[in-house]
Amino acid sequence: MAPIRPGSNMTAIASALGVSAATVSNALSGKGRVSPELGARIRAKAEELGYVPSVTARALRTGRSRVIGLVLPDIANPLFPQIAQAIENAAADAGYGVLIADSRGDSSMQTLAIQRLVERQVDGIVIVPRLGTRIADLGCPVAVIDSPSTPGNTVSSDHWQGGQVVADHLVGLGHRNFVLIGANPLSNVQNDRIGGMKSRLPKGSRFETIWIEKLEALAGAGCSLGLKQKVELGFTAFAATSDLHALRALTELQQSGIRIPRQASVTGFDDLVWSSVVSPGLTTVRQDMAAIAEIAVGALVGVIGDDTAEPDAATITVGVTAVAKTDRVPMTLVARQTTASVSSPEFSPESPSLGRE
């Protein structure tokens, strides 16, 4: 017998077994009173005939698409494909597909991306918001992944704790003079990471904070961060809020003749895929993406509700931000070759350039 067309109705199965289409529907959806024996026969016949449930038909019946949206702020940033993969895996485990939209770091594009996903009738949206923006009522359930300090945040890494982990590592190596490097002071994530670092610096230590976008607004994109001069002033630890900025710092220091980690230690955040293969390997802090995605998707699905119920009994919730029992996930230090103890033979604050004009 030729397979029936995927997504067609259940009449063919019902006719083949001499039962009603309603009985077939109940058996395949796990609802209603269908004996185990008949249920097994129906499922076997459905497999034999190549039956594939119609997503469209189910959406019309239940009001659910079994698809969630994901809005990212910059898909070109190596961090966000990792987040997308983790969300897709968690959604698939929950029986959902994912539509991805890129806000390109622009608030108006973020609004447009959200509108387009809502128009496509996604059941809910996971949003990693553009920095400095707050997510208002979207008309559908939403889960926010940003920082615990962000109002309405569902779950995220504990960025403050991550900053403390970095500082504890560097302080434990004997560093007392720090340069903290962020990109944009409007970012809750970056502020929390730098705040966590500052909270763990010992009394009497010295630190300066560099905001790259502020510096570039004055000196131009790609300008020097002045890190060689910082080393000459006695700064020995350079802690960046992302691996991308840490790589920029590492490159600038090495090109200035500063030996890493002999003359200066460098740390990053996020453990991007290349962080272990640059030379020297970058000390960084890793996010547990799988745990964050599982919590975010689980909270969102909990708000979306049960799509197996009939329309008059289903709980369809709109305009609600998902709340998770656990709103923050600890970060983990990954120590590599860009950090060293100031008292170790590998570390020497003496720079060949010290004293030169």
Side-chain angles (χ1 to χ4, degrees):
M1 181 182 296
I4 63 175
R5 186 172 66 256
S8 64
N9 61 40
M10 303 176 186
T11 305
I13 301 172
S15 298
L17 296 176
V19 297
S20 69
T23 299
V24 174
S25 175
N26 288 339
L28 295 180
S29 65
K31 301 189 309 178
R33 296 182 179 179
V34 180
S35 69
E37 295 78 14
L38 180 55
R41 287 174 57 206
I42 290 172
R43 288 189 292 273
K45 181 58 68 175
E47 183 176 357
E48 175 190 337
L49 297 179
Y51 174 75
V52 177
S54 169
V55 175
T56 302
R58 180 172 59 190
L60 290 172
R61 176 175 59 83
T62 66
R64 304 294 170 76
S65 63
R66 299 294 291 184
V67 175
I68 61 176
L70 172 62
V71 179
L72 298 171
D74 181 9
I75 200 68
N77 185 315
L79 171 65
F80 296 117
Q82 294 182 20
I83 294 177
Q85 184 180 52
I87 293 293
E88 200 283 331
N89 289 339
D93 289 343
Y96 284 77
V98 179
L99 287 178
I100 299 176
D102 183 2
S103 68
R104 307 174 196 173
D106 182 86
S107 57
S108 61
M109 287 298 299
Q110 177 174 277
T111 300
L112 182 59
I114 292 169
Q115 289 174 346
R116 287 175 173 171
L117 289 172
V118 172
E119 288 170 359
R120 285 165 173 76
Q121 298 182 324
V122 296
D123 291 339
I125 301 177
V126 177
I127 301 178
V128 182
R130 176 191 177 276
L131 60 86
T133 60
R134 292 183 62 177
I135 305 304
D137 186 352
L138 304 184
C140 74
V142 60
V144 177
I145 300 176
D146 193 33
S147 186
S149 63
T150 300
N153 187 68
T154 302
V155 64
S156 66
S157 290
D158 190 339
H159 300 290
W160 186 279
Q161 174 264 343
Q164 292 180 322
V165 167
V166 169
D168 288 347
H169 173 67
L170 292 170
V171 170
L173 292 172
H175 294 276
R176 295 297 182 269
N177 299 284
F178 306 85
V179 176
L180 313 180
I181 304 172
N184 191 315
L186 294 179
S187 167
N188 290 335
V189 168
Q190 294 175 48
N191 274 301
D192 281 0
R193 290 176 175 183
I194 286 180
M197 294 180 202
K198 291 179 180 178
S199 74
R200 280 293 215 269
L201 300 184
K203 187 175 182 179
S205 62
R206 181 172 56 141
F207 74 87
E208 291 187 11
T209 303
I210 294 175
W211 291 107
I212 293 175
E213 291 188 14
K214 284 187 174 182
L215 187 61
E216 289 186 333
L218 298 173
C223 66
S224 168
L225 302 181
L227 303 186
K228 176 184 176 182
Q229 291 75 19
K230 299 299 183 186
V231 173
E232 293 173 345
L233 291 171
F235 290 93
T236 62
F238 296 81
T241 57
S242 80
D243 287 353
L244 291 174
H245 307 322
L247 179 61
R248 180 170 175 174
L250 179 64
T251 301
E252 180 174 319
L253 288 165
Q254 289 178 319
Q255 290 178 345
S256 299
I258 306 300
R259 289 168 290 182
I260 307 296
R262 185 171 182 181
Q263 293 169 265
S265 289
V266 178
T267 64
F269 261 90
D270 298 327
D271 194 23
L272 300 180
V273 292
W274 46 262
S275 299
S276 62
V277 297
V278 295
S279 183
L282 180 65
T283 293
T284 184
V285 181
R286 179 180 297 159
Q287 300 192 56
D288 190 343
M289 295 295 190
I292 293 168
E294 183 178 350
I295 294 170
V297 171
L300 183 63
V301 170
V303 173
I304 291 169
D306 179 15
D307 72 352
T308 63
E310 294 302 325
D312 60 346
T315 302
I316 302 177
T317 308
V318 298
V320 174
T321 300
V323 177
K325 292 181 179 179
T326 300
D327 70 344
R328 64 199 69 192
V329 176
M331 304 185 80
T332 306
L333 181 78
V334 182
R336 296 193 178 103
Q337 292 77 47
T338 56
T339 51
S341 169
V342 295
S343 61
S344 71
E346 290 79 16
F347 189 90
S348 171
E350 302 300 326
S351 170
S353 62
L354 287 179
R356 297 181 183 178
E357 294 297 328

